[in-house]
Amino acid sequence: MAAARWVVVVAVAVTAAVALDNGVARTPPMGWLHWERFLCGTDCAAEPDRCVSERLFAEMADVMVAEGWKEAGYEFVCIDDCWMAPTRDEQGRLRADPRRFPSGIRALADYGLKLGIYSDVGNRTCAGFPGSYGHYELDAQTFASWGVDLLKFDGCNVGSLGLLAEGYRNMSLALNKTGRPIVYSCEWPFYLRPVQQPNYTEIKQYCNQWRNFYDVYDSWNSIKSIVEWTALHQDSIVKIAGPGGWNDPDMATLRGIFLFLSQLVIGNFGLSWEQAVTQMAMWAIMAAPLFMSNDLRHMKPEAKWLLQNREVIAINQDPLGKQGYRITKDKNFELWERPLSNRAYAVAVLNQQEIGGPQNFTFSLTFLGNGLACNPACCIQQVLPSSVDWGVHNWLSSLSVEVNPTGTVLLKVVPL
């Protein structure tokens, strides 16, 4: 299929917003998060392997070290909602549930990986546990004293949009005041969007990453909805992302495969192989935080290969820190690009068709990088779904890319 009808062409502004200056998240954070796979399981007697407990996080940390996840870049183990005791202690401090976390949070922070934890801007978390409203400085000090490295801060149970914004600002200031570098992951724009357009310039001044969309689910509909939402809003969100501050498609899951705030649900149950490849490829193009939400203790080799793919991770973690964007949509095909360091580009060809067999999409290399990506010549390497050297091409070349239904071919274009 020739790319004759260029439906969307985007011009991305190069002006960057000022980022939160706390020295962390210079590239999109990577790690593992419990929520999408394990939810709010608290019955350790009935379901010991699925209970939100210190055992679960210690076992995941053990696997991350032993099976190459930490070496690949996944450095955070993140506790989501439901870790807390039902009430604060006598000094007003948050405390872990003593039955499920008998050793306390500090023990997990000292376990060998960076630790992420969860709280809420309101007076209750989304699952009904104590929130941080009225306790921002105390909770920030508590997290710092435990050795926490990341805070996911939700937005449930707050009385007004004014209190929501005030709470996110106050927690950011409180975390910085502790003197400990803590990645601050906000849900701020997600809760604003139903009522008003988020001010991303302001949000980036307070947060290291921010969630824009609904929870990611272990389904193709969820993945393609996130990709489409990102494309429709790219004019307002792409220019904001960069070192120190990232758009989070959802802090939830690539089950079985990858991402957290943009949770990778690869390695779970709901995605075909082609769809898992699409999530990994598109999260790399979108410079999304990579947080897996899966059971690392029981991973299929192909899911592990995909999530640990060093070439894809290198694109996601590229130090230039620019987010990719859709440059055209032609019937069922989408063409995306992401500027990389050293004048290289990552390119994704996504086939949204859900029936039939593989189809070809043909496009001119002059469409990439405003005509500069392959000028006068370039080397092209296919990264996904497998690694293939496509050789040397020139500025006037056209590429014909065969893509399976719901699949994506990810390329890297390096100028000569």
Side-chain angles (χ1 to χ4, degrees):
M1 179 184 295
R5 299 185 304 117
W6 299 102
V7 179
V8 179
V9 177
V10 61
V12 179
V14 297
T15 304
V18 176
L20 172 62
D21 185 18
N22 60 357
V24 298
R26 306 309 297 170
T27 59
M30 297 173 59
W32 181 89
L33 178 75
H34 92 252
W35 185 256
E36 200 281 341
R37 180 58 182 264
F38 295 96
L39 298 173
C40 193
T42 58
D43 190 343
C44 294
E47 298 182 316
D49 291 336
R50 296 191 291 272
C51 181
V52 178
S53 66
E54 66 179 41
R55 172 187 164 184
L56 176 68
F57 297 100
E59 289 183 355
M60 292 302 170
D62 288 340
V63 174
M64 289 174 73
V65 172
E67 298 189 9
W69 299 101
K70 180 182 179 182
E71 184 181 357
Y74 296 95
E75 60 180 353
F76 289 93
V77 173
C78 295
I79 306 169
D80 208 287
D81 206 346
C82 304
W83 63 269
M84 303 164 185
T87 59
R88 292 173 175 265
D89 68 14
E90 294 80 0
Q91 287 76 42
R93 295 173 301 193
L94 290 173
R95 57 196 178 105
D97 185 283
R99 294 170 301 166
R100 293 182 286 119
F101 295 86
S103 304
I105 300 301
R106 180 80 217 196
L108 287 175
D110 292 339
Y111 202 76
L113 288 161
K114 293 183 178 180
L115 183 70
I117 206 162
Y118 170 100
S119 190
D120 193 286
V121 70
N123 55 22
R124 289 278 167 185
T125 71
C126 298
F129 291 86
S132 288
Y133 180 75
H135 303 273
Y136 299 126
E137 287 205 11
L138 177 60
D139 289 355
Q141 292 164 6
T142 300
F143 298 146
S145 72
W146 287 342
V148 165
D149 301 290
L150 181 150
L151 172 64
K152 176 183 174 181
F153 208 43
D154 216 333
C156 287
N157 299 309
V158 64
S160 68
L161 292 182
L163 290 175
L164 180 85
E166 181 182 344
Y168 276 110
R169 295 188 202 103
N170 286 342
M171 181 55 87
S172 178
L173 297 173
L175 290 172
N176 282 349
K177 188 177 178 181
T178 68
R180 181 175 180 81
I182 297 175
V183 175
Y184 186 37
S185 177
C186 303
E187 312 274 296
W188 191 350
F190 170 71
Y191 286 96
L192 282 180
R193 272 202 177 271
V195 180
Q196 67 185 55
Q197 173 70 21
N199 181 346
Y200 284 103
T201 300
E202 179 187 24
I203 289 169
K204 187 172 182 178
Q205 292 172 354
Y206 290 97
C207 304
N208 294 119
Q209 59 189 47
W210 45 88
R211 177 181 167 191
N212 291 310
F213 200 68
Y214 298 104
D215 278 353
V216 63
Y217 289 95
D218 189 14
S219 75
W220 172 239
N221 281 338
S222 179
I223 301 301
K224 70 180 183 180
S225 295
I226 290 172
V227 171
E228 181 63 19
W229 185 95
T230 301
L232 292 175
H233 294 86
Q234 63 188 17
D235 287 349
S236 62
I237 66 174
V238 166
K239 61 189 175 184
I240 295 297
W246 309 97
N247 288 298
D248 185 359
D250 160 41
M251 259 181 116
T253 89
L254 277 179
R255 294 207 288 170
I257 289 195
F258 113 104
L259 310 189
F260 151 86
L261 301 160
S262 312
Q263 288 180 69
L264 291 167
V265 290
I266 299 163
N268 289 321
F269 308 102
L271 300 182
S272 70
W273 173 248
E274 286 77 16
Q275 293 158 5
V277 167
T278 290
Q279 188 186 15
M280 194 69 179
M282 296 309 301
W283 264 238
I285 288 285
M286 294 188 292
L290 297 184
F291 282 84
M292 304 175 289
S293 188
N294 47 27
D295 193 340
L296 297 175
R297 299 166 298 188
H298 307 288
M299 288 287 289
K300 294 181 179 179
E302 59 270 24
K304 181 178 179 181
W305 175 87
L306 182 56
L307 286 168
Q308 290 190 7
N309 188 297
R310 302 304 175 90
E311 295 176 277
V312 184
I313 291 172
I315 291 171
N316 176 267
Q317 296 288 295
D318 186 81
L320 186 63
K322 289 187 176 295
Q323 180 172 332
Y325 41 85
R326 188 171 71 185
I327 55 177
T328 189
K329 183 175 182 179
D330 182 12
K331 296 183 179 178
N332 292 315
F333 279 99
E334 298 184 15
L335 182 65
W336 292 65
E337 70 177 15
R338 177 183 173 186
L340 304 177
S341 53
N342 300 316
R343 300 188 301 115
Y345 279 81
V347 177
V349 183
L350 166 61
N351 181 4
Q352 292 271 15
Q353 184 163 300
E354 299 182 12
I355 60 172
Q359 289 191 320
N360 282 74
F361 181 72
T362 302
F363 63 96
S364 170
L365 291 178
T366 58
F367 282 100
L368 302 179
N370 292 320
L372 301 177
C374 194
N375 189 355
C378 61
C379 291
I380 299 179
Q381 178 75 24
Q382 178 180 299
V383 178
L384 288 176
S386 60
S387 181
V388 180
D389 186 353
W390 283 26
V392 176
H393 296 258
N394 65 49
W395 185 63
L396 297 178
S397 298
S398 291
L399 291 186
S400 183
V401 183
E402 183 180 89
V403 192
N404 290 338
T406 70
T408 296
V409 171
L410 179 64
L411 307 171
K412 185 176 181 180
V413 179
V414 179
L416 295 176

